[in-house]
Amino acid sequence: MTDHRSFLRRYPYVVAFTTVLGLVLGGVAVGTAVIGDREGRAAAAERRCTADALATRWTSGTLFLDARSVDSGKSVLSVRGDEPTQTGSTMKLITASAALAALGPDRRFTTTVVAGAESDSVVLVGGGDPTLSRLPSGQDSVYPGAAHLDDLARQVRAAHPAPIEVVRVDTDLFDGPAWHPSWTESARTSGSVSNITALMVDGDRDDPTEAYSLRSTGAVTRAATSFAALLGPDVRVETTSVTPSTGARTLGTVRSATVSELVGTLLTHSDDTLAEVLARHVAIAEGAGRSFDAVQVGTTKALHEVHVPTDGLRLVDGSGLSPDNRVPAATLTTLMRAVATHRDGLEPVDRGLAIAGRTGTLDEDGRFTGAARDARGHVRGKTGTLDDMFGLTGVTDEVAGDRIAFTVFAEGTSDPATRHEIDVLAASLWRCGGLAATAPQAQGAARSERAAPSERPARSVRSSDTRPPGTRHR
């Protein structure tokens, strides 16, 4: 038998040719397998893609739909996508993004106590932190990482050992009114939102550990009274806002979690009060004002910083609780593309999105079950609900070479089953992936024989049913 080393010395070219041939054939095999797998996934996506047909047959109120490629921005489906409409809590995506742009991810809100005009008085200065908690330090409220009043009180007692007789308040950071006139009183009684003031504790909840807990009409009084009780049993409270003396000595300070962290809490739990306070801070930072009236200018200026178009926007609050807000579906989809790609510092918004069938509002009320069940874990987004509309804006996982950013609004219906129909459409957009624009019509009708989705009026059903009072705004 010939020694293999001798063979290599005598026939080196044969060995080299054999090696190269093996590498080429192996590469072809691997490449063919990759291409085949990609083509197989694309073919499977095309077989399951029904998004266009679902939009055509829509029956749950009036459909507003915009879906487009995350990578290219190319429109894949649109029905009234450019027409402004109600948003519900999908508005919180706009507010969260504006907060990151205008305030920065590391900004914190500070609550301060300064010495009063009299030696026995102190002034509690509201810094616009709705998460400040009256619970003992070490006990969590609904807001993770919240500052605590008892920490502030310990600092004040150490810095002001003399008896304190009165606590006054400075709430001038925000202007009134504290309650938007378009909000229903049921939003308060259901625990959705509080009066929007610069000084409150636990979002003014009766129960700091319960997300949906009754709110009061005296948020400032609750905060000041809770603080005064920590200073002594007979400390008096005055809730008419005062302006501390220039150069008043600081006796204590506590700070909120970062804006980045607050954005995550806002989106995951759809917190209306936190949204409104962030919108107010944005307005102040943008020089627009300190009231509800400043939200429009403040938020739109911040959106320009993240390259989101603002044409057609009417923003009267930051939570979407008002039925007077108007935003085109295409605007939210454009914003979702920026969020999905973590552009312009919007990664915290992406982290705060609910996951279909797993977390947040996309894991409630039977979301993503039945015909939408296979999309659990593959769609992330933010829901929106008002008395006569349902919505979802989100982004899908990659299928057939692309991710899809989308916004779906169904207006003019109070039927809770609409949520499922929205989920089914979102699930189909996930199955379509990059093929959504060329999806075959149901029953095999040729696409060339149909009008484009934007040219077809969706069927509108106006329901006379009303949602029961106190329905949660999600």
Side-chain angles (χ1 to χ4, degrees):
M1 182 177 293
T2 305
D3 184 270
H4 70 277
R5 287 171 295 182
S6 175
F7 180 85
L8 290 174
R9 287 193 298 271
R10 296 170 65 182
Y11 304 104
Y13 299 109
V14 173
V15 174
F17 175 76
T18 303
T19 302
V20 171
L21 180 62
L23 291 172
V24 170
L25 292 175
V28 170
V30 171
T32 301
V34 170
I35 293 171
D37 179 62
R38 186 180 299 129
E39 289 177 346
R41 286 189 291 121
E46 186 168 1
R47 286 194 299 271
R48 298 185 302 157
C49 185
T50 59
D52 191 53
L54 289 169
T56 304
R57 300 194 302 265
W58 193 267
T59 60
S60 295
T62 302
L63 176 66
F64 296 80
L65 166 66
D66 185 83
R68 58 189 64 230
S69 162
V70 168
D71 293 337
S72 69
K74 179 182 177 182
S75 177
V76 296
L77 277 178
S78 181
V79 179
R80 303 184 184 88
D82 293 325
E83 296 182 23
T85 187
Q86 297 180 85
T87 67
S89 281
T90 62
M91 175 67 76
K92 293 181 175 70
L93 283 171
I94 290 176
T95 298
S97 301
L100 288 165
L103 307 173
D106 299 324
R107 172 77 176 274
R108 298 173 187 265
F109 306 126
T110 302
T111 304
T112 306
V113 176
V114 300
E118 303 84 9
S119 61
D120 62 351
S121 69
V122 297
V123 181
L124 179 59
V125 182
D129 176 14
T131 71
L132 178 67
S133 184
R134 65 189 187 274
L135 293 176
S137 292
Q139 184 175 345
D140 288 335
S141 68
V142 297
Y143 297 119
H148 290 262
L149 277 180
D150 61 358
D151 180 13
L152 189 58
R154 281 190 293 270
Q155 295 179 48
V156 170
R157 287 198 301 269
H160 191 295
I164 297 172
E165 299 293 334
V166 60
V167 170
R168 296 189 174 92
V169 297
D170 175 4
T171 61
D172 288 347
L173 181 63
F174 295 167
D175 288 339
W179 186 265
H180 197 276
S182 68
W183 294 351
T184 63
E185 184 60 26
S186 64
R188 190 198 312 275
T189 57
S190 68
S192 287
V193 69
S194 67
N195 280 351
I196 306 306
T197 64
L199 176 63
M200 69 176 83
V201 288
D202 305 303
D204 195 42
R205 291 170 172 84
D206 278 1
D207 182 350
T209 65
E210 176 60 43
Y212 283 87
S213 178
L214 181 68
R215 316 299 174 98
S216 75
T217 57
V220 173
T221 298
R222 194 199 298 265
T225 301
S226 298
F227 179 66
L230 294 168
L231 298 178
D234 300 317
V235 178
R236 193 170 75 257
V237 169
E238 296 180 4
T239 56
T240 300
S241 185
V242 300
T243 301
S245 302
T246 302
R249 184 165 64 99
T250 299
L251 304 176
T253 61
V254 290
R255 301 199 302 162
S256 71
T258 65
V259 164
S260 176
E261 293 165 328
L262 294 176
V263 160
T265 300
L266 159 67
L267 295 175
T268 300
H269 301 289
S270 200
D271 192 290
D272 292 314
T273 294
L274 187 49
E276 294 302 337
V277 169
L278 285 175
R280 200 66 61 89
H281 279 294
V282 168
I284 294 170
E286 296 289 358
R290 301 170 179 271
S291 68
F292 282 114
D293 290 342
V295 170
Q296 170 83 28
V297 173
T299 300
T300 53
K301 287 179 69 175
L303 288 179
H304 289 154
E305 298 174 32
V306 293
H307 308 99
V308 173
T310 57
D311 293 343
L313 269 61
R314 183 187 181 199
L315 311 178
V316 303
D317 66 18
S319 63
L321 184 59
S322 173
D324 296 335
N325 291 300
R326 291 292 183 274
V327 176
T331 297
L332 278 165
T333 302
T334 299
L335 176 57
M336 186 55 68
R337 287 186 59 229
V339 168
T341 55
H342 298 176
R343 199 185 72 208
D344 298 316
L346 295 181
E347 182 179 0
V349 178
D350 191 26
R351 290 199 303 265
L353 297 176
I355 301 173
R358 303 282 176 80
T359 63
T361 56
L362 290 183
D363 191 32
E364 299 175 353
D365 303 314
R367 301 303 298 255
F368 285 88
T369 56
R373 185 175 184 82
D374 63 334
R376 294 167 72 91
H378 296 291
V379 173
R380 294 173 293 115
K382 182 71 194 76
T383 58
T385 305
L386 290 176
D387 285 345
D388 62 347
M389 66 80 63
F390 297 89
L392 173 63
T393 183
V395 62
T396 71
D397 284 350
E398 185 271 336
V399 169
D402 204 354
R403 293 179 293 168
I404 301 299
F406 68 91
T407 301
V408 185
F409 291 130
E411 189 177 76
T413 177
S414 59
D415 185 354
T418 304
R419 291 191 183 99
H420 179 66
E421 191 166 358
I422 289 174
D423 293 349
V424 171
L425 179 55
S428 187
L429 287 169
W430 164 65
R431 297 185 201 109
C432 294
L435 298 172
T438 57
Q441 177 74 335
Q443 288 97 36
R447 185 176 179 82
S448 61
E449 297 175 358
R450 304 193 315 273
S454 60
E455 297 169 353
R456 292 191 307 268
R459 290 160 58 187
S460 174
V461 177
R462 292 282 169 179
S463 172
S464 60
D465 296 336
T466 55
R467 190 160 298 146
T471 298
R472 294 174 178 178
H473 170 54
R474 307 310 295 267

